[in-house]
Amino acid sequence: MMPSTLFMGQQLRFLPVCESTNSEAYQLLIKNEATEGCTILTHNQTGGRGQRGNSWQAEPGQNITLSVILSPSFVAVRQQFNLNMAVSLGVLDLLREQGLQQAQVKWPNDLYFEDKKLGGILIENTINSQSLQHSIVGIGLNVNQRTFPYPTATSMANVCGHTLDLEKTTMRLLEHLERRYLQLRSGHTARLKYEYLQALYRYQEQHTFRVDNREVQGQIVGVGEDGKLALEIAGELRYFAFQEISYVI
């Protein structure tokens, strides 16, 4: 089965087992063997990586684990978070299409349903002068796995109440990703940011966060051009990078 796309997933490499689809994608890049949209897919990733060096664990054959190679030379380095927003919305489009209308994006790029994690995104960029040269977009999405070692994780099947066709779901994901990527390439960044904020977990709500090893009350009010999270804390607007703040859930 192939996705109905122009380029996303048209070069498709399936590996029954691999350590990391992002690492496999990088090897294809340095060998100059990948066209844009090249997708590496596996049913068993043994050494998946997440944000802040966290590991990503999933039951073999139950979930979506893939990496897509992109060439977003139209994205300036200072605006690289725009790619994160487009990719996050592409995954969110799939979730909502499958009935998970309450799914949200948890900054910077996790997918959540209520207070549980459905999936994660890891984008690794190489830079050429002032723009992005290549991006490896790694996506892990819990689809049919029913039990998890952590109570803060769930899956599409758990929420929907039924098993999904993994291959068809993967193809639909690639189709949604391409649509959002083309939207970004066409310069519709304002629209993407608006939709990203509307889908942002805990946006414009008062919640507890951990900053400098202490808990504070704050409200997410936006995301800066550089991808930093904007919070209003005690009447003061502050911006935080990925490692500087965490949610208390």
Side-chain angles (χ1 to χ4, degrees), residues 199-243:
L200 193 59
Y201 179 68
R202 294 188 171 177
Y203 180 54
Q204 295 183 329
E205 298 174 1
Q206 198 72 21
H207 281 283
T208 304
F209 299 85
R210 187 168 287 108
V211 179
D212 297 328
N213 293 319
R214 64 186 183 91
E215 293 187 357
V216 300
Q217 292 295 311
Q219 179 174 284
I220 298 172
V221 295
V223 177
E225 186 181 73
D226 56 1
K228 288 184 178 179
L229 189 66
L231 254 74
E232 186 178 292
I233 301 174
E236 179 187 0
L237 182 62
R238 297 179 60 184
Y239 288 86
F240 297 91
F242 297 167
Q243 297 86 0

Side-chain angles (χ1 to χ4, degrees), residues 4-235:
S4 298
T5 57
L6 297 173
F7 57 90
M8 200 81 74
Q10 291 302 311
Q11 182 185 359
L12 187 62
R13 297 204 176 191
F14 173 71
L15 303 171
V17 181
C18 76
E19 182 177 349
S20 162
T21 55
N22 267 31
S23 297
E24 294 289 341
Y26 180 71
Q27 290 302 313
L28 290 178
L29 262 182
I30 62 176
K31 293 175 184 176
N32 200 29
E33 294 179 359
T35 58
E36 183 168 36
C38 175
T39 300
I40 296 85
L41 176 68
T42 188
H43 281 171
N44 187 6
Q45 181 172 250
T46 60
R49 305 189 302 279
Q51 288 287 350
R52 302 189 179 115
N54 295 330
S55 63
W56 176 261
Q57 298 177 339
E59 284 183 6
Q62 298 298 310
N63 307 302
I64 292 175
T65 308
L66 59 77
S67 294
V68 179
I69 297 171
L70 299 173
S71 304
S73 58
F74 53 88
V75 177
V77 173
R78 69 182 184 280
Q79 297 174 329
Q80 59 187 283
F81 195 74
N82 288 340
L83 180 61
N84 292 59
M85 291 193 295
V87 171
S88 297
L89 287 171
V91 183
L92 191 65
D93 289 341
L94 170 76
L95 294 172
R96 292 182 172 176
E97 177 184 76
Q98 296 297 327
L100 285 76
Q101 300 300 324
Q102 303 305 312
Q104 293 179 295
V105 181
K106 177 175 167 286
W107 178 91
N109 45 20
D110 283 336
L111 285 306
Y112 264 56
F113 185 86
E114 295 178 346
D115 292 326
K116 293 189 176 183
K117 185 173 178 177
L118 282 165
I121 299 163
L122 177 64
I123 301 178
E124 298 176 307
N125 298 315
T126 55
I127 297 168
N128 182 10
S129 184
Q130 299 299 311
S131 64
L132 301 185
Q133 181 178 17
H134 295 293
S135 297
I136 298 175
V137 177
I139 298 173
L141 189 60
N142 299 331
V143 180
N144 289 324
Q145 185 171 335
R146 293 290 188 155
T147 59
F148 296 88
Y150 310 107
T152 53
T154 190
S155 68
M156 297 172 70
N158 278 345
V159 176
C160 296
H162 61 84
T163 300
L164 291 89
D165 185 308
L166 194 60
E167 187 176 11
K168 287 182 180 178
T169 304
T170 303
M171 297 305 107
R172 287 298 291 157
L173 172 60
L174 293 171
E175 290 161 11
H176 285 299
L177 288 174
E178 181 176 271
R179 186 176 69 85
R180 289 296 188 174
Y181 183 68
L182 291 175
Q183 192 177 9
L184 176 63
R185 194 163 76 181
S186 297
H188 299 298
T189 52
R191 181 66 191 178
L192 288 168
K193 185 169 185 179
Y194 173 80
E195 291 191 48
Y196 182 87
L197 290 177
Q198 296 308 305
L200 193 59
Y201 179 68
R202 294 188 171 177
Y203 180 54
Q204 295 183 329
E205 298 174 1
Q206 198 72 21
H207 281 283
T208 304
F209 299 85
R210 187 168 287 108
V211 179
D212 297 328
N213 293 319
R214 64 186 183 91
E215 293 187 357
V216 300
Q217 292 295 311
Q219 179 174 284
I220 298 172
V221 295
V223 177
E225 186 181 73
D226 56 1
K228 288 184 178 179
L229 189 66
L231 254 74
E232 186 178 292
I233 301 174

